[in-house]
Amino acid sequence: QFPAMIEDWKAKFNKGSEPIAGRSRPFLYVQLAPYTEGVGEPGDISTALLRESQMVPINTMESVAMATAVDYGDPKSPMGNIHPRYKAPVGYRLSLGARALAYNDKTVLYKNPVATNFSKETSSVSVTFSEPIVVRTPNFPCPFPQSCVWMAVNGVNATVHQLSPTVVSVSADSAPQDITYLFGDWPQPFLYSVASGLPVLPFRQTL
């Protein structure tokens, strides 16, 4: 539905994909920041599912860029945590997509790293990424312990060890059945691109 909405909006507001002075007409949008009601909703993945649907256009459409806000939650926002105050870093990420797509700037790195392969072991999972990544401390401490999620195996937050520039190993207390990253109301990103500094996008995978 989201790709169809984008095509509809482009057709109605921007003459579709018709270029201007030889440049494409990009569509830029922001992936939802962390959000939860009250003091947290353990097990609620409704916001995570919406973030997942927001990633469809960048994999299926041309001239589309997404700036994720998944690492800029604001639990103390006076307008409620659904309205985080961290606009500048997200605006900067949007500008990268605009420079690359609207102005054809080939030097700009605007795409986030993504998980590309999963290898299940007896008590761990190896995850391979599309580019070298680095393990970092999350931007902010977890404000809602019952709702914070990072890398989870079988629904339980797990320990992560970096094996190589593009591979991490994720521990499991039992035989791994599935793995998720940032798949919940209040994500705690800690994997970032070495080259661009952009965060790895959320994912889930059945093993």
Side-chain angles (χ1 to χ4, degrees), residues 49-64:
L49 290 172
L50 185 51
R51 289 192 198 97
E52 185 178 62
S53 70
Q54 287 184 295
M55 292 189 286
V56 173
I58 59 175
N59 296 316
T60 60
M61 303 179 71
E62 295 182 357
S63 298
V64 171

Side-chain angles (χ1 to χ4, degrees), residues 180-196:
T180 61
Y181 180 61
L182 311 181
F183 213 79
D185 281 351
W186 206 272
Q188 290 285 100
F190 61 90
L191 300 176
Y192 286 78
S193 165
V194 171
S196 69

Side-chain angles (χ1 to χ4, degrees), residues 1-7 9 27 29 53-57 61:
Q1 293 181 342
F2 190 30
M5 187 203 77
I6 292 175
E7 292 291 0
W9 282 15
F27 189 95
Y29 61 96
S53 70
Q54 287 184 295
M55 292 189 286
V56 173
M61 303 179 71

Side-chain angles (χ1 to χ4, degrees), residues 55 64 86 124 149 172:
M55 292 189 286
V64 171
Y86 304 107
S124 66
V149 293

